[in-house]
Amino acid sequence: MYKKFEMELAGRTLRVDVDRVAKQANGAVFMHYGDTTVLCTATASEKPREGIDFFPLSVEYNERLYSVGKIPGGFNKREGKASENAVLTCRVIDRPMRPLFPKDYRNDVTLENLVMSVDQDCSPELTAMIGAAIATTISDIPFDGPISTTQVGLVDGEVVFNPTAAQKEASDMALTVASTKDKVIMIEAGANEVPEDKMIEAIFAAHELNQKVIAFIDTIVAECGKPKHTYESCAVPEELFDAIKELVPPREMEEAVFTDDKQTREENIRVITDKLEEAFADKEEWLEVLGEAVYQYQKKTVRKMILKDHKRPDGRAIDEIRPLAAETDLIPRVHGSAMFTRGQTQICTVTTLAPLAEAQRLDGLDEAETSKRYMHHYNFPSYSVGETRPSRGPGRREIGHGALAERALIPVLPSETEFPYAIRTVSETFESNGSTSQASICASSMSLMAAGVPIKAAVAGISAGLVTGDTDDDYLVLTDIQGLEDFFGDMDFKVAGTHKGITAIQMDIKIHGLTRPIIEEAITTTKKARTFILDEVMNKTIAEPRAEVGPYAPKIIQMQIDPQKIGDVVGQRGKTINAIIEQTGVKIDITDDGAVSICGVEADSMAEAKRLVEIIVTDFEAGQILEGKVVSIKEFGAFLEFAPGKEGMVHISKISKERINHVEDVLTLGDIVTVVCLGKDKMGRISFSMKDVAK
C-alpha cells in the first residue's frame, strides 16, 4: 500500500506517490507529471562529517536514456559522466534548497533524482525540482521547506506556465522561478531581449503559481511528514567570539578588510589569524573552529560597514562600478579575441569559427535538442585567485558559468542562413575577484564582433549584491559586487542583456528568499550598470561587428542544389565528394535539403570546388563549354573527366578539323582540353566536340 496525491498543474496532472519505492531513504517520492516519471530521494548521514566548515550537500540528476527509448552510443553501452544539462539541473535544484538547511548542520545530505520516463511536454527537470523539495520536506532531515518551482515561457507576448515542447520552441523566454511560502528564492532565465517590466511580471506570476503547489505539498507533509531529527550543532561557541573581540577589536577588523586589493586583505586576515592561533594555542577545541570564527567575524564586520555605514570594503559608492577596461585582438592568428577587465576580475575570450558540420551533437533526453551550433566554454584556473591546485577538467561551477554566458549570447547570434558557421567561444579567467561569469559575457560579445560574427547587438552583464538587516525593509542593494561582498553578502543577482532588454538572469541567495521590492531594485540597478558598460566601455572598444571574418578564419561559400543530385555529388561511398576535397583542400557539407557549404581559407580553392559541384549537378546541354581532363583513350575517341564522377566522350572525328588516324596523335593522358556539348546523338548519348569550340 502507498499514498497517492494529485493536483492539476498547468493543464497536466502532477502525481506524487509516497511509500511506494525507496523506503530506506530518509525521504522518497515517485513523481509523475504527465508521462514523465522521476524518482526523487533525500538521504542524510547519521553524524556530521569531521573537519569541515561547510554543509556537505550533494545533488544528483541522473538521466537514463531508456527514459526516451534510446541505447547509449559508443562502445560502452551505458550512461557515462553527467551531461551538461544534468549538471545544470543539479545546480538549479541545489541553489534554492541549500539556504533552507540549518547553517550549523554538517551531516552529509544527498538528493538523488533518477529520470525514468520522459514526456516531452512535461519537463523532467521541473519534475525533479519539485520532487527533490517534497522528498526533503517529508523526510526527517532538518529543512525549512517546502519550496516549489515553476518554469515560464513567453509565447506571443503571453506568459505560459511549464510550457510544452511546442511552446518552448516558440517561446521568447525560458524562466525558472523557485519560491518559499513568502518569497522568491531562485531565478534562472534566458530571454530574447525581454524588457525588464515583462520579466518582473513573469517572475511574480510564477511565484503565485508556486504558492498553489506549496499548499499541495503541505497536504502531503501533514499526512506523510516525519519529525525532524536532532543533530550535533557545529556553531561557533559565543565565548570564542567574545575572546576574539578582546584580542581583535571591531575597529582593527574593519581596517583589515577595508582595502580594494584582495591580496592585501588576505594578508591582513592571515596576520590576525596567526595572532589568534598563538593566543589560543592551549585551547584545542577553539582552534578547530577558529577559521570559521574569523570568517564569521569578517562577515559581521563587512555587513555592518555596508548596511549601517554605507561603506564598502574597497571604498566604492553603493552604486559604483569598479574601474573598467577593454581591448580586442590581443591574441594573434585566432579568429577573434577580446579582453574585459573590471577591477581585479579579468577575462579573455577567444572565438573560433568552423563549418556547421563541427557543431556539437547532443545525445540527451530532449528530442528538440540534437545539436548545438554555438558553444561557450569557461575556464577558471587556480592562478586566477592566487592559489595552486592541479587542473582536473571543468567542474560544475565552470560548466554553469559557461552555460550562463552561452544563454546570454544566443539571442543576438545570426541565423545559420545569415552566418553558416559553428561558433565556439572560450573564456579564460586571468584574474578573479567577483562575477567572472558576467565579465565573460562582455568579453565574449566583443570577441564575436572582432571575429566578424554579425551579432544583432552587444551584450553586457553585471552582478548586484544584497545585505539585509533584521526586517524585510532593512536592506541595501550593491552594484558590481566583488568576491568579499559575494562571500559575506546575501545575494548574487546576475543580469545580462542588450540596450533593448534582458537575455539572461541567474540569482543565487543565502537567505530565505527575496521580496518584490528587492528584486525590482536589483533588476533596475543592473540595467543602469549594464547600459553604462555598453556605452562607455564596450562600444568605445568595438562599436559593431567587423564586415568580414579575419584572415585566419575559414571562409564559406553557400550554394543550393537539387536534393535529388546529392547522391551525384557524394558519389558511391563518398568517392566523388572526397575527390573534390582532396583536389581543392576545402571542407564540404551538404544538408538533406540540398544546401551546400564549401569552407576553406583560399578563395581560389573554394571557387574551384564550387565550379566542380556546379558541373556535377548540371545536366549537359548543347552549346555548353566545358574543360575536362583526358582520363582514358580508346580507338574511337577519348574520355574526359569534367569533375570527379562526371565524364563524357569526344569521338575521334570531333577531335580535330583535320582527319587523324589515332587519338594519340593529338591527345595524351592528363591533357586538359576545352570542349563544347553538341547535345544528344542518334543513340541518345551526349556528344562532345573539340573542333567545334571556336563556333
Side-chain angles (χ1 to χ4, degrees):
M1 294 294 293
Y2 63 93
K3 295 177 181 178
K4 181 170 68 174
F5 303 86
E6 291 184 353
M7 75 170 288
E8 287 302 303
L9 181 58
R12 284 143 283 169
T13 300
L14 177 69
R15 192 178 97 219
V16 182
D17 297 344
V18 181
D19 290 334
R20 186 177 186 182
V21 295
K23 297 178 184 178
Q24 296 189 51
N26 295 62
V29 287
F30 206 31
M31 300 292 298
H32 309 268
Y33 191 31
D35 283 340
T36 291
T37 304
V38 183
L39 171 61
C40 303
T41 62
T43 52
S45 61
E46 292 185 5
K47 296 182 179 180
R49 193 195 300 183
E50 294 184 1
I52 61 169
D53 57 0
F54 61 91
F55 169 46
L57 172 66
S58 298
V59 179
E60 303 298 334
Y61 178 78
N62 298 311
E63 297 174 318
R64 296 289 190 259
L65 286 180
Y66 59 66
S67 66
V68 288
K70 293 182 182 178
I71 294 176
F75 291 102
N76 185 18
K77 295 294 185 179
R78 69 179 298 160
E79 289 82 4
K81 70 174 186 176
S83 68
E84 186 172 294
N85 178 69
V87 170
L88 298 176
T89 304
C90 292
R91 284 171 57 84
V92 87
I93 294 172
D94 182 298
R95 293 211 309 273
M97 295 191 66
R98 187 177 290 271
L100 300 180
F101 290 92
K103 294 188 182 301
D104 59 344
Y105 193 52
R106 297 293 180 266
N107 297 46
D108 283 275
V109 173
T110 300
L111 307 180
E112 290 265 4
N113 302 276
L114 177 62
V115 181
M116 306 189 74
S117 174
V118 174
D119 176 345
Q120 295 297 328
D121 287 335
C122 299
S123 163
E125 296 86 357
L126 173 73
T127 309
M129 293 172 207
I130 296 174
I134 298 175
T136 309
T137 305
I138 66 172
S139 75
D140 62 344
I141 303 170
F143 179 70
D144 193 12
I147 64 170
S148 176
T149 305
T150 294
Q151 294 177 334
V152 187
L154 189 65
V155 181
D156 296 329
E158 297 297 322
V159 168
V160 178
F161 297 122
N162 301 342
T164 63
Q167 289 170 332
K168 286 179 182 177
E169 187 71 22
S171 179
D172 285 321
M173 179 169 66
L175 169 67
T176 303
V177 179
S179 306
T180 64
K181 289 180 180 178
D182 304 311
K183 301 174 182 177
V184 173
I185 196 166
M186 192 277 298
I187 302 170
E188 177 128 338
N192 292 334
E193 300 179 279
V194 170
E196 279 72 9
D197 57 348
K198 194 69 178 180
M199 181 66 73
I200 293 170
E201 175 192 333
I203 289 170
F204 285 94
H207 178 61
E208 288 182 20
L209 181 57
N210 280 335
Q211 300 314 303
K212 296 178 182 178
V213 181
I214 288 172
F216 168 67
I217 296 173
D218 282 337
T219 64
I220 302 174
V221 176
E223 192 169 338
C224 306
K226 301 175 183 177
K228 299 301 182 184
H229 66 232
T230 57
Y231 63 93
E232 183 182 329
S233 173
C234 295
V236 177
E238 283 298 323
E239 55 268 28
L240 173 55
F241 277 126
D242 294 338
I244 289 175
K245 287 179 181 178
E246 285 186 14
L247 292 169
V248 183
R251 182 66 183 172
E252 185 176 336
M253 181 58 81
E254 285 186 21
E255 292 174 354
V257 299
F258 200 88
T259 173
D260 63 349
D261 185 75
K262 180 180 172 183
Q263 282 70 31
T264 301
R265 181 170 56 251
E266 289 175 347
E267 176 61 22
N268 293 342
I269 297 303
R270 188 192 64 77
V271 171
I272 287 174
T273 303
D274 289 346
K275 174 182 175 180
L276 294 173
E277 286 177 347
E278 185 177 342
F280 303 146
D282 58 342
K283 294 182 181 280
E284 188 173 335
E285 69 279 7
W286 282 10
L287 291 176
E288 290 178 358
V289 293
L290 183 59
E292 176 67 11
V294 172
Y295 172 86
Q296 291 189 22
Y297 191 13
Q298 287 185 78
K299 184 173 183 176
K300 290 178 181 178
T301 301
V302 170
R303 292 173 66 86
K304 180 258 179 186
M305 288 166 58
I306 293 173
L307 191 60
K308 304 302 180 186
D309 305 333
H310 286 205
K311 291 170 62 178
R312 299 176 72 169
D314 57 5
R316 278 184 293 149
I318 298 302
D319 61 350
E320 184 180 350
I321 303 173
R322 286 171 289 175
L324 301 169
E327 61 179 294
T328 59
D329 307 320
L330 67 158
I331 310 296
R333 301 189 76 87
V334 299
H335 302 165
S337 65
M339 187 166 69
F340 182 82
T341 305
R342 187 189 335 101
Q344 289 184 298
T345 290
Q346 188 175 62
I347 296 282
C348 174
T349 297
V350 175
T351 298
T352 305
L353 306 177
L356 287 170
E358 295 193 31
Q360 183 179 1
R361 285 185 290 178
L362 304 176
D363 188 19
L365 307 186
D366 190 342
E367 293 178 354
E369 292 191 1
T370 57
S371 66
K372 190 162 71 170
R373 170 211 182 195
Y374 174 58
M375 299 150 279
H376 184 281
H377 297 145
Y378 165 98
N379 296 314
F380 189 86
S382 58
Y383 63 74
S384 66
V385 287
E387 298 175 359
T388 178
R389 63 175 182 272
S391 176
R392 294 288 184 262
R396 288 187 173 185
R397 178 180 179 276
E398 288 166 297
I399 291 172
H401 279 8
L404 176 60
E406 185 176 290
R407 192 182 308 124
L409 290 159
I410 283 175
V412 301
L413 291 177
S415 67
E416 290 184 9
T417 304
E418 297 171 294
F419 193 72
Y421 287 89
I423 308 165
R424 181 183 185 229
T425 48
V426 180
S427 291
E428 306 288 0
T429 306
F430 287 168
E431 195 174 357
S432 172
N433 186 12
S435 201
T436 49
S437 65
Q438 300 308 286
S440 74
I441 292 170
C442 300
S444 299
S445 179
M446 294 187 294
S447 179
L448 287 166
M449 290 195 286
V453 180
I455 62 175
K456 299 169 187 174
V459 181
I462 194 69
S463 182
L466 175 73
V467 178
T468 56
D470 297 329
T471 67
D472 287 345
D473 297 328
D474 186 18
Y475 67 88
L476 201 62
V477 173
L478 309 174
T479 299
D480 179 28
I481 56 172
Q482 58 173 313
L484 191 73
E485 294 164 335
D486 185 5
F487 302 148
F488 298 152
D490 296 320
M491 175 181 78
D492 184 5
F493 199 119
K494 309 180 185 81
V495 183
T498 64
H499 280 300
K500 186 177 177 182
I502 293 170
T503 59
I505 294 179
Q506 188 177 91
M507 185 187 84
D508 300 326
I509 63 172
K510 301 169 188 172
I511 54 177
H512 288 204
L514 302 181
T515 62
R516 182 164 186 148
I518 293 175
I519 292 174
E520 289 179 343
E521 184 174 340
I523 288 178
T524 301
T525 296
T526 53
K527 181 179 182 181
K528 179 182 175 183
R530 185 175 83 233
T531 301
F532 177 83
I533 294 170
L534 285 168
D535 291 342
E536 299 301 322
V537 181
M538 294 173 60
N539 288 345
K540 289 183 177 179
T541 303
I542 181 166
E544 59 186 19
R546 295 202 169 123
E548 57 185 31
V549 298
Y552 299 105
K555 314 300 184 293
I556 293 180
I557 295 176
Q558 284 188 297
M559 57 187 297
Q560 187 70 37
I561 65 173
D562 183 344
Q564 294 185 355
K565 298 283 189 178
I566 293 175
D568 296 338
V569 177
V570 174
Q572 189 176 13
R573 298 181 181 177
K575 182 178 179 180
T576 302
I577 196 170
N578 286 332
I580 299 174
I581 291 170
E582 183 177 349
Q583 182 177 332
T584 61
V586 302
K587 293 182 180 179
I588 301 176
D589 298 321
I590 306 177
T591 62
D592 291 341
D593 61 356
V596 180
S597 294
I598 299 170
C599 180
V601 176
E602 296 181 3
D604 291 345
S605 297
M606 295 167 65
E608 174 63 10
K610 181 183 179 184
R611 186 186 71 83
L612 294 174
V613 172
E614 287 175 338
I615 292 173
I616 292 171
V617 300
T618 302
D619 293 328
F620 291 128
E621 295 179 357
Q624 186 178 2
I625 302 294
L626 297 164
E627 194 175 74
K629 179 181 179 181
V630 178
V631 292
S632 178
I633 295 177
K634 306 294 183 183
E635 290 183 4
F636 51 82
F639 284 91
L640 308 181
E641 183 184 66
F642 303 106
K646 188 92 168 183
E647 294 186 358
M649 192 195 78
V650 181
H651 192 269
I652 189 171
S653 65
K654 299 293 184 181
I655 291 176
S656 176
K657 292 180 180 180
E658 292 77 27
R659 177 180 174 81
I660 60 173
N661 296 319
H662 303 285
V663 174
E664 292 90 337
D665 294 342
V666 177
L667 298 175
T668 57
L669 290 175
D671 283 352
I672 305 297
V673 298
T674 302
V675 297
V676 62
C677 179
L678 301 178
K680 294 181 179 179
D681 61 18
K682 294 178 182 179
M683 302 288 290
R685 298 172 299 190
I686 300 294
S687 176
F688 295 91
S689 171
M690 290 173 58
K691 71 178 185 179
D692 294 314
V693 169
K695 294 182 183 179

